[in-house]
Amino acid sequence: MQLHFLGAAQEVTGSCHLLRVGDAAVLIDCGLIQGSAKDEARNAQPFPFDVRSINAVILTHAHLDHSGRLPLLVKSGYKGPIYAHPATVDLCRIMLRDAAYLNEKETEWTNRKRLRKKLPPLEPLYTRSDATKAMRRFVAVDYGVMQEIVPGLRMRLRDAGHILGSCIVETWLAQAGVERKLVFSGDLGHTGAPILRDPEIIQDADLVVLESTYGNRQHRSWADTETELEQALNSAAQHRGNILIPAFAVGRTQELLYTLARHYAEWNLQRWTVFLDSPMAIEATEVYSRHAELYDSEAVQVRRRQGNPFEFPKLHFSRTPLQSMAINRIESGAIIIAGSGMCDGGRIKHHLKHNVWRENCHVIITGYQARGTPGRALVDGAHALRLWGETIRIAATVHTLGGLSAHADQAGLLAWYRAFRNAPPVALVHGEPAAMNVLHTLLEQSNVKVWSPSPNSVMNLHDLRLLLPGSITSPASLT
Ligand code: ZN
């Protein structure tokens, strides 16, 4: 019985864990590495396991840093099931296809340059056809259902409150008379965040694999964040410019629409025309509208009172490139919500180019910005952005709303962990070292056994010993 830490080990993206029980092997997540071009090049490297030896995949949620290499897995020969919540299946259908499309486009662009240099063409990481093949492997499993995945491994999904359909995964492993219960937090939601319920409490485990994205931060309260958003909107209104809101298509966009809809009259929003300029975000919003059974009590009430909780007057969904380009001609009075969330792709880059050099423009940053992305440069106060080889001066006012996170903050992570009655040992994942180290120390100070495994380290689940990559000499040491 072993747990291999293959991805999101001492970093945030590329989630991937491998459980071995007897002869069976099960992956938890198979995510894309996101960030700088150098980081992303690692996605094309071969998987650090024999793909044909994997019997099943459990997917915690649809975000690409958890799901984005599934089409590559299938392209590499994986033929087993991919277990996920029904809403995750719906979201992956949109997101994996979009990721594949972007891969195809980027490769096409690179190959045009390579052709001019007489270099052989490259293949995309995967295509839309690979994404479709991956979707055929999905098996929907509801929250709370106990399911045997392979002999010796049962699992149950619980609501993680992070995005629609997101899961905490409880796993029960049994081999040679030894039983272990492992709980994978997945990405844990922010308690009190709108639309979704708070992360479910779990009370027992032999090992908790805990995300640590914000292990060193406290979020502002949701109420304060709403006030901040209102103030940013008001200051932008005084300057009579446009507001750009780079937003992840799934989760953040719906939180923004929901919040704008709820405060429409109170915040005097009729003075703005709001564009949701992202076909993927539009489709994801439709999925959120369909899964009302996953709403928290407030969203249920909002829906009862006003119908679809993501709609309000003067909200335009722009699907086609022509509709998107038409927005470029608007110089004031528009709120433009577009992807990508970190400004490293998608239509937001065009809107940045057309607006960010204007003094009356405001940018509202609403999510996590990885190192090396234009979004991070905006947050860090850069004076210029490089977009398509052109240097664009930044004259816009940049607002960063820290509290709009889909992740639990330090207090949230600790509170969720402390609900376990037996203070189980913890392996920290999904965090940059600075965040992870703070949480590591805090847990250690309360006498919890804690590891921050380096990539490719392996936990022997019989005696909970962590073997670092350099110390793994023979398969025998891993039984
Ligand atoms: Zn996530």
Side-chain angles (χ1 to χ4, degrees):
M1 270 197 284
Q2 307 147 16
L3 169 60
H4 297 234
F5 297 90
L6 301 178
Q10 302 186 346
E11 62 181 325
V12 169
T13 67
S15 275
C16 189
H17 298 101
L18 174 64
L19 275 173
R20 286 192 191 281
V21 193
D23 294 334
V26 174
L27 279 186
I28 316 266
D29 288 345
C30 190
L32 209 59
I33 297 156
Q34 296 172 311
S36 67
K38 190 169 151 241
D39 284 335
E40 292 190 1
R42 285 156 53 207
N43 287 313
Q45 289 170 5
F47 288 106
F49 46 80
D50 175 6
V51 170
R52 284 165 203 277
S53 75
I54 304 294
N55 303 90
V57 178
I58 305 168
L59 177 60
T60 60
H61 65 290
H63 276 152
L64 287 179
D65 62 320
H66 295 256
S67 69
R69 286 224 284 175
L70 286 169
L72 185 62
L73 191 75
V74 171
K75 181 183 170 184
S76 313
Y78 178 66
K79 294 198 165 33
I82 300 169
Y83 295 100
H85 187 274
T88 300
V89 181
D90 288 348
L91 290 173
C92 277
R93 196 168 289 122
I94 303 165
M95 296 173 76
L96 294 181
R97 194 180 159 77
D98 183 76
Y101 175 72
L102 290 179
N103 269 318
E104 288 176 38
K105 282 281 145 204
E106 268 168 37
T107 312
E108 213 178 283
W109 189 71
T110 309
N111 282 344
R112 248 179 271 144
K113 283 204 293 191
R114 290 176 67 87
L115 185 69
R116 289 196 285 272
K117 292 181 187 161
K118 289 203 159 60
L119 291 167
L122 301 176
E123 232 191 85
L125 197 61
Y126 51 83
T127 61
R128 278 168 287 179
S129 145
D130 296 318
T132 305
K133 284 179 197 145
M135 287 317 300
R136 293 197 193 114
R137 310 248 54 95
F138 274 72
V139 177
V141 182
D142 271 312
Y143 292 137
V145 179
M146 186 70 85
Q147 180 119 8
E148 183 170 70
I149 299 297
V150 291
L153 198 163
R154 289 176 302 148
M155 70 125 188
R156 185 166 63 186
L157 305 177
R158 309 288 293 271
D159 193 343
H162 167 66
I163 59 165
L164 201 77
S166 61
C167 296
I168 299 160
V169 183
E170 293 177 286
T171 57
W172 288 263
L173 290 74
Q175 191 187 339
V178 179
E179 288 191 17
R180 292 279 179 261
K181 180 183 177 189
L182 270 60
V183 174
F184 294 83
S185 72
D187 287 2
L188 279 182
H190 181 185
T191 300
I195 309 168
L196 301 177
R197 296 189 279 260
D198 292 341
E200 280 189 75
I201 293 300
I202 302 188
Q203 294 187 317
D204 56 289
D206 296 309
L207 175 70
V208 176
V209 179
L210 178 63
E211 70 122 318
S212 55
T213 318
Y214 288 120
N216 60 345
R217 270 191 50 180
Q218 309 291 0
H219 297 324
R220 230 159 258 168
S221 73
W222 186 253
D224 287 353
T225 303
E226 284 196 345
T227 308
E228 248 185 327
L229 177 60
E230 183 189 5
Q231 284 166 352
L233 295 170
N234 283 338
S235 92
Q238 279 165 11
H239 293 132
R240 297 172 191 285
N242 290 333
I243 302 177
L244 306 186
I245 310 185
F248 297 108
V250 176
R252 185 54 28 80
T253 293
Q254 291 73 37
E255 285 177 350
L256 282 166
L257 294 178
Y258 176 86
T259 305
L260 296 178
R262 269 186 65 221
H263 295 286
Y264 193 80
E266 187 195 338
W267 291 359
N268 206 5
L269 292 174
Q270 65 281 3
R271 58 192 160 169
W272 297 100
T273 305
V274 181
F275 295 92
L276 181 55
D277 188 24
S278 158
M280 186 165 66
I282 294 166
E283 285 187 74
T285 304
E286 286 162 359
V287 175
Y288 266 71
S289 306
R290 278 206 304 275
H291 282 281
E293 78 283 4
L294 301 176
Y295 295 174
D296 65 9
S297 54
E298 183 200 69
V300 167
Q301 276 175 26
V302 171
R303 184 165 174 271
R304 219 173 274 148
R305 230 178 18 240
Q306 67 184 58
N308 188 328
F310 308 106
E311 281 179 4
F312 48 86
K314 290 173 77 181
L315 168 65
H316 295 269
F317 287 171
S318 71
R319 294 172 198 268
T320 67
L322 269 180
Q323 287 170 324
S324 177
M325 281 187 273
I327 303 171
N328 292 338
R329 291 195 292 272
I330 304 173
E331 289 183 16
S332 78
I335 296 178
I336 305 160
I337 304 172
S340 70
M342 300 193 204
C343 309
D344 49 353
R347 294 179 177 178
I348 195 70
K349 278 175 76 178
H350 294 273
H351 298 304
L352 285 169
K353 182 179 162 182
H354 284 91
N355 289 278
V356 85
W357 51 270
R358 295 180 205 271
E359 265 144 28
N360 62 359
C361 168
H362 287 242
V363 183
I364 304 180
I365 299 285
T366 62
Y368 176 79
Q369 307 297 318
R371 273 176 304 184
T373 60
R376 180 73 159 248
L378 285 167
V379 171
D380 290 344
H383 297 293
L385 280 183
R386 289 285 292 171
L387 297 171
W388 298 285
E390 198 181 324
T391 303
I392 316 283
R393 192 172 57 86
I394 301 172
T397 307
V398 179
H399 309 261
T400 305
L401 302 188
L404 265 169
S405 178
H407 285 270
D409 63 5
Q410 185 188 77
L413 291 167
L414 288 172
W416 183 79
Y417 169 75
R418 286 181 180 142
F420 285 91
R421 285 179 300 212
N422 60 332
V426 176
L428 292 177
V429 295
H430 204 286
E432 286 182 8
M436 192 175 267
N437 293 343
V438 172
L439 193 64
H440 189 121
T441 307
L442 281 174
L443 286 166
E444 241 168 22
Q445 282 167 352
S446 37
N447 294 322
V448 176
K449 176 73 188 154
V450 49
W451 299 271
S452 297
S454 51
N456 301 314
S457 46
V458 178
M459 175 83 71
N460 181 328
L461 297 174
H462 283 271
D463 55 4
L464 294 184
R465 225 164 13 107
L466 186 74
L467 302 164
L468 300 176
S471 69
I472 301 165
T473 47
S474 74
S477 65
L478 298 176
T479 50

